[in-house]
Amino acid sequence: SAVISQKPSRDICQRGTSLTIQCQVDSQVTMMFWYRQQPGQSLTLIATANQGSEATYESGFVIDKFPISRPNLTFSTLTVSNMSPEDSSIYLCSAQVSGANVLTFGAGSRLTVL
Amino acid sequence: QKEVEQNSGPLSVPEGAIASLNCTYSDRGSQSFFWYRQYSGKSPELIMSIYSNGDKEDGRFTAQLNKASQYVSLLIRDSQPSDSATYLCAVLPGAGSYQLTFGKGTKLSVIP
């Protein structure tokens, strides 16, 4: 399965600032996704990162708040913009390797917004 | 709205016993089913996948799928304290979709 490197692993941010999370996969993947896991909750899909085009966002998530890039098959970024304490969460990058029907996760980025 | 339901627990079992984790899903057209294990503070890791009705065994783990009842379960035999974690059921809709829907997870505690 793919190895997914995600950084930063954690950060403490001030209200109103923005933070970009990077995700690097060690092999070519078909699909890349960004999930959010709020404290004590399950995973919620934010968006599908599409190579070379705009991400596909799920209901409740918008590009202005969570801009996503995917310039190539193995790299994606998620920005959490204009953060508020409600954005404190773990953000997880995931990928589906070409030819495989399973989803692998990065280690996650734990954000705390003060 | 596609939904995946799990009992949140916590489910406590003594060491050596069988732990039974259950999951139901609403989308009858779902094709693929997964169980992920998530230790506290860690990301989910895939432990089992199942695609057809019946049982699938892998070591101490057995996944069971009943599409008619829209039900999938995970049995853990000879439970160990190291199995203590949250288990997430995830469902993949029909052909052409790669977006997993996760249940809220069941927290399992294996008591030594």
Side-chain angles (χ1 to χ4, degrees):
Chain A
S1 61
V3 175
I4 301 177
S5 302
Q6 196 175 328
K7 61 179 180 181
S9 59
R10 60 178 63 232
D11 207 339
I12 298 174
C13 307
Q14 295 298 317
R15 181 195 296 262
T17 63
S18 299
L19 181 77
T20 296
I21 303 166
Q22 298 182 3
C23 177
Q24 178 73 56
V25 189
D26 70 343
S27 55
Q28 289 199 348
V29 296
T30 306
M31 309 291 288
M32 292 183 75
F33 304 93
W34 287 97
Y35 283 85
R36 181 175 72 182
Q37 188 172 31
Q38 294 179 305
Q41 302 297 313
S42 188
L43 283 76
T44 300
L45 180 64
I46 297 172
T48 302
N50 301 309
Q51 185 202 355
S53 64
E54 189 173 295
T56 304
Y57 290 84
E58 297 300 304
S59 176
F61 298 96
V62 296
I63 187 172
D64 290 346
K65 177 67 175 177
F66 298 102
I68 289 170
S69 77
R70 188 180 172 191
N72 57 52
L73 285 174
T74 62
F75 183 79
S76 179
T77 67
L78 167 74
T79 299
V80 185
S81 302
N82 188 26
M83 287 184 285
S84 66
E86 291 72 33
D87 295 319
S88 297
S89 188
I90 299 173
Y91 293 84
L92 293 147
C93 172
S94 66
Q96 179 184 14
V97 175
S98 302
N101 194 28
V102 295
L103 201 63
T104 302
F105 286 88
S109 299
R110 182 184 294 270
L111 300 188
T112 301
V113 184
L114 303 178
Chain B
Q1 177 97 10
K2 300 179 176 67
E3 294 182 346
V4 178
E5 301 285 343
Q6 293 181 256
N7 187 325
S8 61
L11 173 66
S12 294
V13 299
E15 183 174 355
I18 296 175
S20 178
L21 305 164
N22 304 315
C23 171
T24 59
Y25 58 95
S26 63
D27 183 2
R28 184 170 289 278
S30 298
Q31 298 287 326
S32 306
F33 308 86
F34 306 88
W35 284 99
Y36 284 82
R37 178 176 62 198
Q38 186 174 27
Y39 292 113
S40 180
K42 302 295 185 181
S43 62
E45 57 176 326
L46 180 69
I47 54 172
M48 287 288 286
S49 59
I50 187 166
Y51 307 105
S52 55
N53 282 327
D55 295 359
K56 178 182 177 182
E57 186 174 319
D58 183 1
R60 296 187 295 112
F61 298 97
T62 299
Q64 299 174 317
L65 175 62
N66 183 327
K67 289 186 178 180
S69 301
Q70 296 175 238
Y71 176 91
V72 59
S73 66
L74 179 70
L75 301 178
I76 306 175
R77 290 182 300 281
D78 187 23
S79 295
Q80 301 296 310
S82 59
D83 294 326
S84 298
T86 296
Y87 289 80
L88 300 167
C89 175
V91 176
L92 194 63
S97 175
Y98 301 93
Q99 296 173 349
L100 281 176
T101 299
F102 284 85
K104 292 186 177 181
T106 298
K107 186 172 183 178
L108 172 67
S109 293
V110 181
I111 312 300

